[in-house]
Amino acid sequence: MTYRLFEEKHHASLYQKYRLTPPNEVKELVLKYLDKKKGPPYELAVDLGCGTGQNSRLFAPHFQNLVGIDVSMQQVQEARMVPGFDNITYRTGTAEELAFPDGSVDLLTAASAAHWFDVERFLLEASRVLKPHGCMALLGYTENFSLHYGSCGDGLNSIYAEVLETLRPYMSTRVTGASSKLESLFEAIPFPDKERIECIPVKMQMSVDAVLGFVETFSMYQTYLKTEPQAATALLQSTKMRLLQEMGVSSGETELEFTTNYYCVLACKPQ
Ligand SMILES: C[S@@+](CC[C@H](N)C(=O)[O-])C[C@H]1O[C@@H](n2cnc3c(N)ncnc32)[C@H](O)[C@@H]1O
């Protein structure tokens, strides 16, 4: 079964605006791994569940060609609208049926996406299309962020914890899989050479509006919005007011410190 929770145009536009680009430390970790296990040439990378292309654009400069693939046409259309990346092609398609010849891909990535895939079918395809010593890098973060501004930490975090509690009933069981940092997918990878890095702490500055826009991209928020539109809209409005009040500021453009933990599953196909 393919999950289709990312189909709406509005949702795709939010993605373009608010999704996080994975940090450089995660990119460097992946590229170092590929360098160590396989080495050049770096002809083709494929970014699965590419959404609006943040992760595709991050990796593209390191490959001759990068293909971003997503099951959602709207997400792909948004991705295509970003200019300046001539070596990226975006296609609609699924991670379970990859239109690439056997042994043709140097690196397969998926950012915050692999938990949506059918594990068995995806791994069969990944094993088929990767070159000998080609690698996969499946990365993401859990939604337990922490927020900090001046001397406010606990207050901001408890407001965010309340938001998560409200949204939790709308969380797909697939997202629960992401919360386990792809543990079962990792176990299922048939390559002996594999590792799972569970915690790469990343700090960034983000405005209050961007934090709320990011929350709005969550599939569980979009499900809540469909089920209870007024309550969902009110949740974001009241959360903004509460965060600003706690920080003692009035503008949603005020930046706070946003900390999250990335995880990354790395695996290398044998000869
Ligand atoms: C949480 S979003 C992540 C998007 C992007 N990689 C990012 O980091 O923001 C997951 C994406 O995976 C796509 N997706 C879900 N199941 C898929 C599948 N089986 N094959 C390809 N894409 C899939 C969704 O349409 C969605 O755009």
Side-chain angles (χ1 to χ4, degrees), residues 17-30:
K17 202 160 164 197
Y18 293 118
R19 287 305 279 194
L20 305 182
T21 297
N24 270 329
E25 45 264 63
V26 174
K27 180 182 83 170
E28 292 304 328
L29 185 100
V30 172

Side-chain angles (χ1 to χ4, degrees), residues 18-75:
Y18 293 118
R19 287 305 279 194
L20 305 182
T21 297
N24 270 329
E25 45 264 63
V26 174
K27 180 182 83 170
E28 292 304 328
L29 185 100
V30 172
L31 292 176
K32 255 192 202 147
Y33 184 81
L34 180 66
D35 214 30
K36 185 166 131 204
K37 301 291 176 185
K38 182 188 158 290
Y42 301 129
E43 291 164 322
L44 178 61
V46 176
D47 183 33
L48 298 168
C50 63
T52 46
Q54 280 82 344
N55 189 58
S56 314
R57 294 190 287 276
L58 182 70
F59 280 94
H62 304 276
F63 294 85
Q64 283 172 33
N65 289 294
L66 185 144
V67 180
I69 294 184
D70 201 285
V71 72
S72 159
M73 168 67 90
Q74 293 292 354
Q75 296 276 346

Side-chain angles (χ1 to χ4, degrees), residues 6 15 19 49-51 70-72 75 93-96 111-113 116-117:
F6 303 87
Y15 251 70
R19 287 305 279 194
C50 63
D70 201 285
V71 72
S72 159
Q75 296 276 346
T94 70
E96 296 83 2
S112 307
W116 295 105
F117 304 162

